[in-house]
């Protein structure tokens, strides 16, 4: 099976019009020796029925857990039915970037509305139409900070998601910036003393995440003040985006960039992607931030409409002087987030609160087990780190009961051996938590 | 159309949150009030409000399923419906990226096989699937170049970019801390070899070449180009966004390229989603494999697992494993059409482009008069001269004929450029209808230029004021 | 727009059939050629042709998700998206109706509970879910009446139908071999009791009453009506298509009805699908339960099974068990909104209808000036008198305002009837917009009648020629 | 959760406009004693997340077989992906009957195209926009025949699907018609001798099905001639609609009505419905057939378009004199069938042929088992009846292996004790057939 409508007869007529005898003649510019003489070594075609059966078998080789206890940057939330019904409309998913505004008002207005909701959630003045994911959003904010200030030092809270730190370091390496990690205090929050010591005039930005990787809510305000005090910028990340429903917006607390992963807003876990990089900032960076921006304007008859705007920031206009290289983004994931936020509305606060309740119940329940105790006393959202007798055996017991295990902190934090990170969203039933506590006893 | 916020009504709701089955505690008992938000200004709507709002928005949006979308360089081919269904299988959508490898063998096998298919298609040793889009792949590829020279303790500061290149190429190079030197094109739209020799100094890390390039032309002197670059110890990078012209016909690896990024959302039929998600896998020759991002899937017997034991890797360039669900669609596509189908893709993509080129050449000025590959580039210069009608006007007028316009004003070296990429999934009838529209617009430009300049006339909004948008930026709603 | 057949091209294909994994034999070796067809004239299209064809067709169709659809008597309420997702669960869609009961316990439980819910909602003893639509339910109910008298060895030949009744009522009665006697309405739009007494002779099997009736009015004299009919040994049938006015507020069973059919595609929010599928369950009082169609779900302990051991049953009226997948949506709806939600449905459906009635009464002639239930009926007579503008014209003009018109020219006893049913899922803003449109059309009718008569002006096609269609019937394409 | 957008404030404003104090006042016409004082005894509402979890659990109580061996009127065929993508477009599924042609051209044209494809498949001149299902389509054709001819006797082949016969009998009883069953000959086809004997002047119609319930292809032509010879009409049904891809159209063979179940055309098995009643006939019945009909016409500007036509046949115009009571039909199932037929096109012949091959292989394979043999020698499409040692034990063995059993013919045909009806569509793999033959040995 393939998707080529041309029949042999069509091809002949077209070759005639072009004035060639054989399709081969279309490839004269390719040196003869490089033209493939045989078919590629790719399996033969399949009918739709066969590919469907084949792919169903592959999917069935994965094990779908009865409940997910993993958070660690990706969160299992309920997705209202409307979300998929909207993003499955082919007017949206088969279109590309809205270069032609007059036939793209649908997505342009949706972007404008999304930008608005994100600025409100983050306490900022501008949000772009998406980055690749939370990690690249953070990395680009860091690079942009350094380029803007002409400084080359980045201070990263060690409590930032390990993979985010890794991505930031890769981008920093490519640009010759130094990265310094700031440890976390006993509370689980960033060690502001250590931060103060490390801040210097070469420091472009301080990067934190709240809730951080351990689920602990950071106090962003003093950190922003510290950074600004040494002429550095504050990049504030977050883990689970639903936490924005109750936490003080980092923008209000003084962050210059608010970045993070928007997967929680209506996007399935999808084994890691596609996700949604959220990047928001202050008016000061309106003309500097990377990515697409939709702006309101009017048409020739004065009717309100929307266009992609401030494109002189972008690669297709400024080339090597662009503020980023991003072109394709995660528009459809952004649309899912917009629909998700529209359908939750003020209920997002209720949902976030429910997450807090679930996590606190679960944490207390497990902390009561012999040998189990919280790693950090700090306030948590829906994720928490515990010290336990044996992470591996705990996880294998969970897995054999059909749950996922927790995240083994020793993977990335040798200093936290015996630490396990667990998450409880609205999807985890009390019944399961009690059940789990029982089987971990 | 009204905004969500304008339709919001206090107390209106779409759905409810489940009642709590665990004890309820006052938030400020567990999180200090100073860390909590005071209000949450999100719209309040009923489900029917939301559904109608977005359904109406969709009616003001044009996609491939609505009609012909010859947006040059973007390969807007038809997106098979079966791919959407497969990607929606719960086994694929519901997995957390940190589940044990034993629970994700299906996914790992798929990723491993996909990397293998792409390697075979491109003639490369291996692929990373981590980059989230083409530009991200470029960045990854350029980082590999950086790492390569770092290992060799060579300090190379510059990368060559042809003047025809897509904007992401210089931007990616810059984002990786390299200088950009612009390489001139010659009179036939290819690389100016003399200029290449001149620019290719010891501090040049390599050349980033798009082949076929953005003029839709294949680099005839690819041998010379490769030997000049390699001769000076440089690396040859292929921007594979235009691979739709080549798959099954020739292999970039065989042509001498060391690195290539592919755009799965172009060549491999995954939908563009109004701008994304995409996926930009990067393939390299064997000597560069150690530098690819981690983690990578490794096969041991019949089992697959993740490994980050690659000390020379550039590291991570995205969280987790990239846009997995997009890869599921690309994998499905490759398995559906198979080896024969892959070749038919390029044969027909190129046939369709050349057919349009021949049909339109009497009416529009051809940028370069050569056999083209998957796309053809015209110049609107003739119309500007004759009647002051610009390429924008022609593009906007096409909207009234029910077509999505081609890419315009790119590549930059062609004045008033009109870049047409039909793809292989369009039938001769569709191409004929499009050509008829272009021809009648050419006539209109002569006989009634004001009509064309006042286009579009049939769209939900008329021509938008971009200048106002940029002069008075309004990027979020602040009124209610 | 072109027809599928006009777009067909020899040799074009959407997909392929799997290669055979069993021996291929010449067809005429197994089936005599005289029994085989010689050619198969179906269109040949590519997948993209098909998708674009039907996507474009969809763009020429108006549904509830596009906007307000106050089609009286049809209860065009919003169809919750979660219901579609639930009904799409593989466990529901993939089951063959003849799998053993042990393999279908989920379905059987759902059917059993749904029948229970409907019985509680209507105050009936039991329900059959077999009928495929409202009219099918009517037929079933009338058959139950027939069986009832057959058992009692009474020969009753006639059933009474009010002049306001929906066309399916007399048609269903006729299809069941009964005579129809038409019952007059009184001056307040209810049953003319005197006429009922006169018609209610011993050969009358019963009265088929719609309550609230198609004027949107509740039968105030329901007690008298019931006692007259029952007094003469007749049965009282309720056409429950208008149940959206009553659920949670009162119960037809309590009102004296012996039989009722519900339209799940109206009251219980299952989508209308351009005309179907629907579902028309029939509920009866205990003395009529033995006559319900077979098979019926019976519960034994915690298990459910099918039984056709009901010797007095009228038999089967459809294959298998009815429109099961529609019932899944109705069940989901009832469980989602619960008892509170059911009451809110009727309260707000009736509130919305009365609001429209009050807003429009100054501009249109109200058929009956009473509190209405879920719908209100106006007459376009005023406009006809004043300016020769007919109800059709008003309806067509509404299309230009972006609304689906109300039901028109029904009920038949109201001249130039305009029957408006807003349903509970519409917001006050929507009702206000609709009323504003109706009011401005009333003004247009006065000031610029020709404008209204020439409507619609903004639709993909202009007013269609029904007469030509009926005079020269063209019901299938014969040209290619 | 409910779907009522009115807020309390909205309600107050509206009550004010109406001039009432309380919602209760809206129900004054309902005698006080009948107004419910308490809530109905229906379970409390659920949030969307809860209902989704609840319904998923109910669906999981069903057992989905690895392969379906059942046919018997419902067939497991592959449904091309495009079908659902189209019928899931809300412009289609949330609309009602296209009374307003100007905003319903989409479905009207789709109906017109469907009607066209059905007439071509059945060899007739007119097809309606759908009946409830195959059984009611047959019953209405029978009643219409009797009413048209003023006769009251119906001859039904006993080889017609038992449930179809049951429905026809119910409709016949309601109208006071006699039904006589015509047995089948040794071949499995109708016993035309017996038919000849039963044909008389009171006979309104002869009803047959081809392929019949046993999967046997009937020879319709001579039956039509017989019926017509006595002034009766021939109603020809079919079981699996995909058989129309290769079998001689009954219309060409002289049938006056061709009726049957269209489920096979793009509609899932759905435990029995919704399905698609196909009803087609000759020009003679154009103004008599039940159901919706779309017809081509022009608009005021002369452009081609479509409307519902010949409505004087219908209940809303003719009331008790209408040719049927049908109003709502199975339009969305019809749309699925139209998309299905458009995507298969001439491939329908290939598909039907593949079904024949599979069935013949499977039949031969099983007939080779000790104690197993075909019940009838007649030609089969994709279904066949076998005599076997013990149907119950065979089925339980199949079920414990994850397959469905076959249809136990003794359920409805005591005379065929030990008979089992099995079906093999393109969905049944050779591997499974061999596997099954092995485990039935
Ligand atoms: C030639 C070329 N290179 C690179 C890119 C960048 O790809 P992406 O948009 O996926 O980042 C594009 C996309 O338009 C392109 O056309
Ligand atoms: C009052 C009334 N009764 C009966 C019916 C018939 O219901 P259905 O179309 O489901 O057969 C309708 C449908 O419009 C109706 O409005």
């Amino acid at each position: 099976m393939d998707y080529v409508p041309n029949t042999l007869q069509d091809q002949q007529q077209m070759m005639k019009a072009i004035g060639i005898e054989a399709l081969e003649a279309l490839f004269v510019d390719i040196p003869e020796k490089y033209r493939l003489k045989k078919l590629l070594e790719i399996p033969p075609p399949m009918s739709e029925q066969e590919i469907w059966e084949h792919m169903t078998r592959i999917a069935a080789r994965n094990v779908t857990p009865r409940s997910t206890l993993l958070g660690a940057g990706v969160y299992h939330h309920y997705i209202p039915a409307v979300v998929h019904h909207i993003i499955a409309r082919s007017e949206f998913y088969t279109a590309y970037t809205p270069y032609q505004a007059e036939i793209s008002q649908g997505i342009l207005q949706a972007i404008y509305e999304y930008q608005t909701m994100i600025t409100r959630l983050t306490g900022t003045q501008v949000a772009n139409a998406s980055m690749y994911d939370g990690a690249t959003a953070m990395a680009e904010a860091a690079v942009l900070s350094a380029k803007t200030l002409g400084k080359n030092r980045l201070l990263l809270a060690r409590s930032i998601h390990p993979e985010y730190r890794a991505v930031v370091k890769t981008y920093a390496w490519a640009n010759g910036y130094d990265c310094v990690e700031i440890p976390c205090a006993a509370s689980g929050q960033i060690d502001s003393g250590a931060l103060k010591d490390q801040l210097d005039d070469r420091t472009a930005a301080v990067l934190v995440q709240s809730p951080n990787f351990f689920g602990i809510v950071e106090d962003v305000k003093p950190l922003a003040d510290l950074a600004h005090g040494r002429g550095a910028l504050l990049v504030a990340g977050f883990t689970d985006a639903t936490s924005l429903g109750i936490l003080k917006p980092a923008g209000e607390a003084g962050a210059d960039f608010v970045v993070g992963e928007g997967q929680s807003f209506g996007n399935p876990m999808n084994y890691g992607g596609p996700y949604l990089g959220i990047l928001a900032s202050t008016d000061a960076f309106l003309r500097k931030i990377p990515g697409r921006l939709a702006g309101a304007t009017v048409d020739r008859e004065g009717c309100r409409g929307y266009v992609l705007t401030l494109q002189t920031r972008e690669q297709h206009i400024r080339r090597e002087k662009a503020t980023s290289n991003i072109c394709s983004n995660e528009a459809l994931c952004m649309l899912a987030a917009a629909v998700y936020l529209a359908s939750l509305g003020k209920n997002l606060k209720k949902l976030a609160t429910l997450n807090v309740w679930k996590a606190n119940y679960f944490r207390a329940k497990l902390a009561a087990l012999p040998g189990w105790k919280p790693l950090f006393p700090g306030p948590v959202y829906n994720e928490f780190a515990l010290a336990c007798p044996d992470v591996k055996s705990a996880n294998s017991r969970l897995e054999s009961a059909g749950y996922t295990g927790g995240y083994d902190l020793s993977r990335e934090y040798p200093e936290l051996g015996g630490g396990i990170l667990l998450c409880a969203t609205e999807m985890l039933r009390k019944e399961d938590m009690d059940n789990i506590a029982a089987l971990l006893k | 159309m009204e905004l969500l916020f304008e339709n919001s009504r206090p107390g209106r709701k779409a759905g409810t949150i489940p009642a709590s089955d665990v004890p309820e505690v006052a938030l400020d008992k567990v999180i200090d009030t100073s860390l909590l938000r005071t209000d949450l200004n999100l719209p309040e709507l009923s489900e029917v409000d939301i559904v109608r709002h977005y359904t109406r928005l969709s009616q003001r949006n044009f996609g491939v399923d609505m009609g012909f979308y010859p947006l040059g360089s973007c390969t807007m081919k038809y997106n098979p419906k079966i791919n959407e269904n497969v990607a929606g299988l719960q086994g694929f959508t519901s997995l957390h990226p940190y589940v044990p490898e034993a629970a994700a063998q299906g996914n790992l096998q798929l990723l491993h096989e996909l990397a293998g298919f792409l390697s075979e298609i491109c003639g490369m040793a291996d692929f990373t699937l981590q980059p989230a889009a083409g530009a991200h792949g470029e960045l990854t590829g350029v980082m590999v170049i950086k790492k390569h020279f770092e290992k060799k303790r060579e300090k190379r500061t510059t990368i060559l970019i042809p003047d025809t290149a897509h904007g992401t190429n210089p931007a990616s190079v810059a984002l990786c801390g390299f200088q950009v030197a612009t390489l001139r094109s010659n009179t036939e739209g290819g690389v100016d070899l003399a200029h290449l020799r001149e620019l290719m100094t010891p501090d040049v890390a390599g050349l980033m070449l798009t082949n076929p390039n953005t003029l839709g032309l294949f680099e005839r002197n690819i041998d010379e180009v490769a030997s000049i670059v390699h001769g000076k110890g440089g690396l040859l990078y292929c921007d594979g966004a235009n691979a739709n012209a080549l798959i099954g016909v020739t292999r970039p690896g065989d042509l001498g390229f060391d690195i290539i990024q592919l755009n799965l959302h172009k060549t491999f039929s995954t939908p563009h989603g109004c701008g994304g998600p995409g996926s930009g896998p990067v393939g390299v020759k064997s000597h560069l494999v150690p530098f690819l991002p981690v983690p990578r899937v490794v096969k041991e017997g019949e089992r697959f697992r993740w490994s980050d034991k690659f000390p020379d890797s550039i590291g991570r360039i995205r969280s987790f494993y990239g846009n997995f669900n997009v890869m599921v669609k690309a994998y499905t596509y490759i398995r559906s059409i198979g080896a024969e189908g892959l070749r038919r893709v390029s044969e027909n993509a190129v046939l369709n482009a050349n057919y349009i080129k021949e049909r339109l050449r009497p009416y529009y000025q051809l940028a370069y008069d050569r056999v083209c590959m998957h796309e053809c580039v015209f110049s609107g210069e003739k119309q500007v001269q004759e009647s002051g009608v610009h390429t924008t006007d022609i593009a906007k007028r096409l909207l009234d004929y029910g077509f999505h316009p081609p890419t315009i004003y790119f590549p930059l070296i062609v004045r008033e450029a009109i870049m047409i990429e039909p793809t292989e999934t369009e039938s001769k009838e569709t191409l004929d209808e499009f050509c008829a529209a272009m021809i009648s617009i050419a006539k209109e430009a002569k006989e009634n230029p004001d009509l064309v300049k006042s286009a579009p006339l049939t769209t939900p909004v008329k021509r938008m004021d971009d200048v106002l948008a940029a002069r008075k930026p309004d990027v979020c709603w602040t009124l209610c």
Side-chain angles (χ1 to χ4, degrees), chain A residues 51-52 55-56, chain B residues 81-90 92 325 328-329 332:
Chain A
I51 191 74
W52 174 250
M55 297 309 292
T56 314
Chain B
K81 298 303 175 199
I82 184 66
N83 298 359
E84 299 303 308
N85 295 12
V86 167
L89 285 167
Q90 214 216 356
F92 291 130
N325 196 262
V328 173
K329 299 178 188 182
T332 306

Side-chain angles (χ1 to χ4, degrees), chain B residues 442-460:
Chain B
K443 197 184 279 100
E444 290 174 345
K446 274 213 196 68
E447 296 163 3
N448 188 353
D450 291 344
L451 170 68
V452 182
K453 289 181 200 163
S454 61
L457 305 172
T458 60
T459 46

Side-chain angles (χ1 to χ4, degrees), chain A residues 81-161:
Chain A
V82 287
V83 173
H84 184 74
H85 282 264
I86 297 300
I87 66 170
R89 297 222 14 120
S90 55
E91 293 88 336
F92 287 130
Y93 78 80
T94 70
Y96 193 31
T97 308
Y99 296 120
Q100 294 291 339
E102 296 80 2
I103 52 169
S104 309
Q105 286 300 297
I107 189 62
L108 282 163
Q109 181 172 336
I111 295 172
Y112 180 83
E113 292 170 339
Y114 163 83
Q115 290 171 176
T116 302
M117 291 190 280
I118 294 300
T119 55
R120 291 175 180 191
L121 283 167
T122 55
T124 55
Q125 291 87 51
V126 51
N128 77 6
S130 75
M131 303 297 286
Y132 301 135
D133 71 343
T136 54
M138 182 175 277
E140 292 229 21
V143 171
L144 181 54
S145 304
K147 288 198 168 156
T148 307
L149 302 179
K151 302 179 174 189
N152 62 3
R153 195 148 176 279
L154 301 169
L155 307 186
L156 286 78
R158 184 157 169 74
S159 54
I160 291 173
H161 192 297

Side-chain angles (χ1 to χ4, degrees), chain B residues 231-292:
Chain B
K232 287 284 186 339
L235 292 175
L236 194 57
Y237 179 103
C238 180
D239 178 341
N242 291 346
N244 214 47
L246 302 180
I247 53 176
V249 173
T250 186
R251 312 200 307 168
D254 303 349
L255 296 172
F257 288 99
D258 303 293
I259 309 172
I260 185 172
Q261 114 275 350
L262 293 171
N263 291 26
L264 299 187
H265 47 298
K266 295 178 179 181
T267 316
F268 297 95
S269 89
T270 73
H272 283 69
C274 281
S279 179
V282 172
V284 295
K285 291 278 177 69
S286 51
H287 63 289
L288 300 174
V289 169
F291 307 138
L292 291 177

Side-chain angles (χ1 to χ4, degrees), chain B residues 97-386:
Chain B
Y98 286 152
V99 296
E101 287 140 339
Q105 285 298 303
N107 289 351
L108 291 165
Q109 173 194 353
L110 184 149
L111 295 172
H112 191 265
E113 289 182 7
L114 178 57
F117 296 152
L118 299 179
S119 302
E120 162 69 8
I121 290 167
C122 295
M124 293 292 173
D126 202 354
F127 260 82
T128 175
L129 303 172
Q130 204 178 95
H136 204 210
E138 295 170 24
L139 180 65
T140 307
V142 175
M143 286 176 170
V144 166
I145 295 176
K146 191 177 204 90
K147 197 75 176 183
H148 167 78
F149 288 108
E150 211 174 80
K151 281 275 132 194
K152 299 179 65 188
R153 302 217 156 38
E154 288 183 31
K155 179 117 198 55
R156 299 201 183 208
T157 56
T158 305
I159 287 183
L160 307 184
I161 308 276
D163 50 15
T164 48
H166 189 265
T168 50
N169 296 11
S172 300
V173 164
L175 189 56
C176 193
F178 280 104
Q179 310 294 327
V180 170
T182 305
L183 174 62
R184 272 196 307 271
S185 300
N186 62 20
T187 52
E188 61 172 26
V191 167
D192 179 330
L193 294 176
H195 194 223
L196 174 59
R197 286 198 192 82
E198 175 192 328
L199 292 178
M200 192 60 217
T201 53
D203 66 341
V204 172
L207 165 64
M208 211 167 174
L209 190 68
T210 309
N211 193 21
N213 66 14
T214 62
L215 296 163
L217 303 174
F218 187 88
E219 180 52 59
R220 288 173 178 161
N221 305 320
I222 186 64
D223 273 344
E224 293 80 343
V225 170
S227 63
I228 293 168
V229 173
H230 289 148
K232 287 284 186 339
L235 292 175
L236 194 57
Y237 179 103
C238 180
D239 178 341
N242 291 346
N244 214 47
L246 302 180
I247 53 176
V249 173
T250 186
R251 312 200 307 168
D254 303 349
L255 296 172
F257 288 99
D258 303 293
I259 309 172
I260 185 172
Q261 114 275 350
L262 293 171
N263 291 26
L264 299 187
H265 47 298
K266 295 178 179 181
T267 316
F268 297 95
S269 89
T270 73
H272 283 69
C274 281
S279 179
V282 172
V284 295
K285 291 278 177 69
S286 51
H287 63 289
L288 300 174
V289 169
F291 307 138
L292 291 177
V294 284
R296 285 167 53 198
V297 184
V298 293
K299 187 174 186 190
E300 284 162 350
E302 282 316 295
R303 313 292 297 166
F304 302 86
R305 60 174 188 80
W306 287 110
S307 168
D308 51 12
K309 304 270 160 303
F310 298 93
D312 292 343
S313 164
I314 59 168
R316 271 197 169 279
I317 47 100
R318 187 195 177 280
S319 60
F320 312 110
Y321 326 116
N323 285 343
F324 172 73
N325 196 262
V326 175
M327 302 168 204
V328 173
K329 299 178 188 182
Y331 177 95
T332 306
Y333 178 69
I334 293 172
R335 293 304 308 268
S336 297
I337 70 176
E340 298 87 325
L342 288 167
R343 187 181 171 94
R344 270 170 59 76
V345 163
S346 296
E347 285 175 349
N348 288 277
V350 173
L351 177 66
N352 285 358
N354 278 280
Y355 179 69
I356 288 181
K357 172 170 134 283
E358 290 309 316
R359 293 272 334 254
L360 295 185
R361 66 186 306 162
Y363 309 91
Y364 295 89
Q365 180 182 316
L366 201 52
Y368 294 85
D369 190 354
R370 285 170 51 182
V371 179
C372 68
M373 301 297 280
H374 66 301
E375 61 197 354
C376 57
V377 177
F378 288 92
S379 164
E381 201 50 25
K382 180 149 165 280
Q383 281 68 25
V384 176
Q385 303 305 341
E386 284 173 4

Side-chain angles (χ1 to χ4, degrees), chain A residues 1 62 76 112-113 122 136-137 147 169 171 174 196 201 204 218 227 275 298 304 316 339 345 372 399 418 427:
Chain A
M1 163 168 77
N62 297 325
H76 186 32
Y112 180 83
E113 292 170 339
T122 55
T136 54
K147 288 198 168 156
K169 286 175 185 169
Y171 278 62
K196 210 184 279 101
D201 301 342
E218 299 273 2
Y275 289 165
V298 297
R304 176 169 72 178
H316 60 289
V339 180
W372 291 67
E399 281 151 24
M427 305 300 279

